Amino acid sequence: MHHGYEEPVYLISVVAKVLTIHPQTLRQYEREGLVIPSRTDGKMRLYSQRDIDRIKMIQRLTRDLGVNLAGVDIIMQLKERIDEYEVLIESLRTEVSGLSKKNTQTKNPLVKHKNSYEIILFGE
């Protein structure tokens, strides 16, 4: 049986055993807002593969690098922001590439490159 990356299927006991982590630690991560598992109707926690990968990253930061949970929270937020920016940059690259191809035919480059010192010395 194959589950999607986002699909919540793993019980806390399974995650704890697989990652050799105490269930209480997983509950603490949830209290801190670092991992938010889904809940069954009976209020049992269910973790997705995405949640498990997130917990692995938290373990690397805390166990291997000695980062505290406040630091982990900041690092995770920055990582999410960087991921969003990378997606945005890629879509802008595609857009600029498409526009550049159109403007190449009219011999009018879309982006004029200037060295930073030219802008500083001579203005725009």
Side-chain angles (χ1 to χ4, degrees):
M1 194 148 111
H2 185 71
H3 299 286
Y5 189 62
E6 307 270 344
E7 195 179 344
V9 290
Y10 305 101
L11 290 169
I12 191 168
S13 56
V14 174
V15 175
K17 192 171 189 176
V18 168
L19 298 180
T20 58
I21 189 170
H22 199 283
Q24 203 54 46
T25 306
L26 291 169
R27 291 185 194 98
Q28 182 185 6
Y29 291 171
E30 185 179 0
R31 275 195 308 276
E32 301 273 345
L34 296 173
V35 180
I36 294 128
S38 300
R39 298 279 183 151
T40 64
D41 294 338
K43 300 291 179 216
M44 291 176 71
R45 291 170 179 84
L46 283 180
Y47 294 85
S48 66
Q49 187 58 52
R50 173 188 285 277
D51 294 330
I52 290 172
D53 288 346
R54 200 170 164 85
I55 294 162
K56 284 180 184 173
M57 184 174 177
I58 295 167
Q59 284 183 309
R60 268 197 306 278
L61 291 168
T62 55
R63 288 181 183 174
D64 304 341
L65 300 174
V67 178
N68 66 20
L69 292 183
V72 168
D73 186 34
I74 291 167
I75 290 167
M76 300 295 255
Q77 287 180 40
L78 290 173
K79 184 188 178 312
E80 284 168 15
R81 195 169 293 168
I82 288 168
D83 292 346
E84 288 167 15
Y85 287 150
E86 285 176 344
V87 168
L88 177 62
I89 288 167
E90 197 46 50
S91 74
L92 290 172
R93 261 197 194 116
T94 305
E95 197 177 320
V96 166
S97 170
L99 291 171
S100 292
K101 284 180 184 142
K102 285 181 192 169
N103 286 347
T104 315
Q105 293 147 0
T106 61
K107 299 281 187 249
N108 183 10
L110 184 69
V111 179
K112 292 182 172 73
H113 293 284
K114 285 188 175 181
N115 291 333
S116 55
Y117 67 85
E118 286 179 333
I119 294 168
I120 292 166
L121 294 176
F122 307 116
E124 293 245 20

